[in-house]
Amino acid sequence: MAHIMTNPTVSNLQADLARQIVSLAGEKQWAVGQRVSDFTLAKQLGVSRSPIRAALVLLAEQGLLVHVPGKGYELARGQTGSEEIDNVAPPSQVETLYRNLMADRASGALADEVSEAELAERYGATRGALRKVLLRFAADGLAQRSRGHGWAFTESLVTDEVVSESYQFRLVIECGALRQPNFKVDQQELDSIRAAQKATLQSPAGTIRRDQWFRINAQFHETLVSWSHNRFLVQSVRQQNNLRRMTEYADFDKLSGSRIYDACAEHIAILDAVRDGDIDFAEALLRRHIERASRDLTDAS
């Protein structure tokens, strides 16, 4: 199979968009034969239709899509494994740099403060690519600019002690959110989140990607807390999700498929208890879920 990034005329943007489209196809469980709209994708991904169309051409060349005269593009086949996204749309230079930087920061290989010159030399990256990655870190709350060309990373969960404290904090925040006087469920949000959990639970082994899993997992916990309608609790869980992003991104390969399926089943049970108004049971399930996740991560390390 041809690789997108071997074509020098393909931009990083086109490659990244192709990857995002492949990710959406798996996450939303597109059916073979489903029409793929460049207009809809442009709105979803926040870009113009021109680079979307270029990305669709690339995916058609890889056999994931097929062009039907008069109709546009349709999904030609489903994904077959976790490596499929890299085969169909290999990571761009920026995406590869992002992955390497994320893994090194999570492992403690990078200091709390670094300069762009240091990073450029370490990774053999251009300043332009490096700046894009650092701005992405900043958007996720994982880094911020320092004076000159320096960058400071936010505190990450790099030791067992800090990880343990993080889970204890989450127990207080997330279980406490269920007990807030203004706690009220948004039924539409609950149905959407439950559907995403069920879709992941039904995904074939090996097809769940790290970015997809983090997004679905974080969305569950953040939305649950958002129903407390307490802005400070919501801010706290978002901060925790940002801290977890780096650690869980690096630790994903240690996470067994069975544990992901168990987590989805636990999420669904918690949502069902909340939907039924049984807050006591929902809190007990949530507490057990967080405590189990803490033990599993400690055992894996």
Side-chain angles (χ1 to χ4, degrees):
M1 180 178 292
H3 285 276
I4 289 175
M5 289 309 294
T6 60
N7 184 345
T9 65
V10 176
S11 70
N12 282 328
L13 174 60
Q14 291 169 355
D16 284 336
L17 288 173
R19 291 181 62 81
Q20 291 181 59
I21 294 169
V22 174
S23 181
L24 278 173
E27 185 177 333
K28 301 297 185 182
Q29 294 190 306
W30 291 357
V32 173
Q34 178 169 329
R35 182 173 179 273
V36 181
S37 166
D38 58 352
F39 177 75
T40 301
L41 287 171
K43 288 184 63 178
Q44 286 180 305
L45 301 180
V47 296
S48 67
R49 297 169 74 176
S50 294
I52 290 291
R53 288 168 179 164
L56 294 178
V57 170
L58 293 175
L59 294 177
E61 291 174 353
Q62 303 301 312
L64 185 71
L65 303 179
V66 62
H67 185 263
V68 180
K71 292 185 178 181
Y73 290 95
E74 294 180 356
L75 188 67
R77 59 181 173 83
Q79 293 173 252
T80 59
S82 60
E83 75 285 353
E84 182 75 0
I85 189 170
D86 284 339
N87 288 337
V88 174
S92 66
Q93 296 172 348
V94 171
E95 180 64 25
T96 299
L97 179 58
Y98 175 84
R99 291 181 180 185
N100 292 338
L101 197 64
M102 180 75 79
D104 285 348
R105 177 55 187 165
S107 68
L110 290 179
D112 292 342
E113 296 189 18
V114 293
S115 69
E116 291 184 13
E118 291 176 75
L119 293 175
E121 181 177 0
R122 179 185 180 95
Y123 297 104
T126 65
R127 287 292 183 89
L130 185 61
R131 182 66 60 86
K132 289 180 181 178
V133 170
L134 290 171
L135 290 174
R136 182 173 169 183
F137 267 68
D140 291 337
L142 299 176
Q144 59 184 9
R145 289 177 184 270
S146 300
R147 290 183 177 180
H149 297 286
W151 289 80
F153 292 107
T154 57
E155 183 180 6
S156 55
L157 310 179
V158 295
T159 68
D160 289 343
E161 181 181 7
V162 176
V163 169
S164 178
E165 289 177 1
S166 171
Y167 276 103
Q168 291 299 318
F169 181 78
R170 288 179 56 200
L171 279 171
V172 173
I173 296 299
E174 296 187 34
C175 291
L178 299 179
R179 297 293 182 179
Q180 293 303 298
N182 292 328
F183 185 86
K184 184 178 180 181
V185 175
D186 183 309
Q187 189 61 49
Q188 186 174 359
E189 288 182 342
L190 188 149
D191 291 341
S192 175
I193 294 172
R194 193 182 189 284
Q197 297 294 323
K198 187 174 181 180
T200 304
L201 187 60
Q202 295 175 340
S203 298
T207 62
I208 304 169
R209 298 176 299 277
R210 74 180 71 214
D211 57 337
Q212 173 190 2
W213 171 239
F214 180 84
R215 182 166 57 252
I216 291 171
N217 190 28
Q219 182 187 45
F220 165 81
H221 289 280
E222 183 174 324
T223 303
L224 197 64
V225 173
S226 75
W227 293 335
S228 71
H229 296 90
N230 183 310
R231 71 194 69 188
F232 298 107
L233 294 181
V234 175
Q235 289 172 3
S236 295
V237 78
R238 284 177 181 167
Q239 180 189 41
Q240 283 296 302
N241 280 340
N242 283 335
L243 293 175
R244 290 169 57 206
R245 181 190 302 273
M246 190 172 291
T247 303
E248 295 190 9
Y249 188 96
D251 289 341
F252 181 80
D253 292 334
K254 304 176 186 176
L255 193 63
S256 67
S258 61
R259 182 62 194 111
I260 292 177
Y261 294 141
D262 288 345
C264 287
E266 292 166 8
H267 290 166
I268 290 172
I270 293 166
L271 291 171
D272 288 348
V274 170
R275 179 195 58 197
D276 295 340
D278 193 343
I279 299 301
D280 289 340
F281 188 39
E283 182 183 358
L285 292 175
L286 179 60
R287 182 175 298 278
R288 185 178 68 177
H289 170 70
I290 294 174
E291 289 174 343
R292 180 178 178 181
S294 177
R295 289 194 303 271
D296 287 347
L297 189 59
T298 301
D299 292 343
S301 61

